[in-house]
Amino acid sequence: MAKDYKIFISHSWKYPDDLKNLRNLLNQRGYFNVEFQEASQEEPINSANAAYIKQVLKSKILNSDVVLAISGIYASYSDWIEWEVLTSYNNSIPIIGVAPWGQERISKTVTDYSVVDVRWNTESIVKAIRTHAK
């Protein structure tokens, strides 16, 4: 029986297509079962309170087998992505950096803490998840 992977995707809401496309990529991969833990635009966290949002996100991160951090250069300028990456790292949740499609430069915020960085390729991402997920 195939393992079910609980995955939190650290991303920027300024680039929602990256999240949607990465989810689709993994959902369409045969013999690979995934349950996404992060909040999505379809399931927003209804609070303007940063402490509450961090509490909910931390719970989702801790429930994950692995964190995929979309490592576009914009991640270097996002306090939220940095917080998600550090929360993952400090709680021994493996982080896989995923470079967005076609991007050459990736975020140091992600690469400093990731166990591996991969390009936007289904097989590379799946292999990294299978290798590094807890």
Side-chain angles (χ1 to χ4, degrees), residues 34-55:
V34 61
E35 177 186 328
F36 297 107
Q37 299 296 310
E38 80 284 342
S40 70
Q41 284 183 311
E42 293 80 33
E43 303 165 14
I45 299 171
N46 294 320
S47 174
N49 181 338
Y52 170 76
I53 294 169
K54 286 180 176 180
Q55 175 187 351

Side-chain angles (χ1 to χ4, degrees), residues 3 5-10 18-38 66-70 96 98 118-130:
K3 176 174 171 48
Y5 294 96
K6 293 180 182 178
I7 297 174
F8 183 94
I9 301 176
S10 181
D18 287 346
L19 172 63
K20 184 178 120 191
N21 293 337
L22 184 53
R23 281 180 162 198
N24 288 339
L25 191 100
L26 294 173
N27 277 328
Q28 292 173 1
R29 172 60 163 72
Y31 305 103
F32 188 73
N33 302 323
V34 61
E35 177 186 328
F36 297 107
Q37 299 296 310
E38 80 284 342
V66 68
V67 169
L68 298 182
I70 299 178
I96 297 169
V98 180
V118 297
R119 295 287 171 196
W120 197 274
N121 172 284
T122 306
E123 294 311 311
S124 297
I125 297 167
V126 168
K127 180 180 178 185
I129 292 168
R130 285 184 169 151

Side-chain angles (χ1 to χ4, degrees), residues 61-78:
I61 290 168
L62 295 179
N63 192 44
S64 299
D65 297 312
V66 68
V67 169
L68 298 182
I70 299 178
S71 58
I73 200 66
Y74 55 79
S76 296
Y77 304 100
S78 170

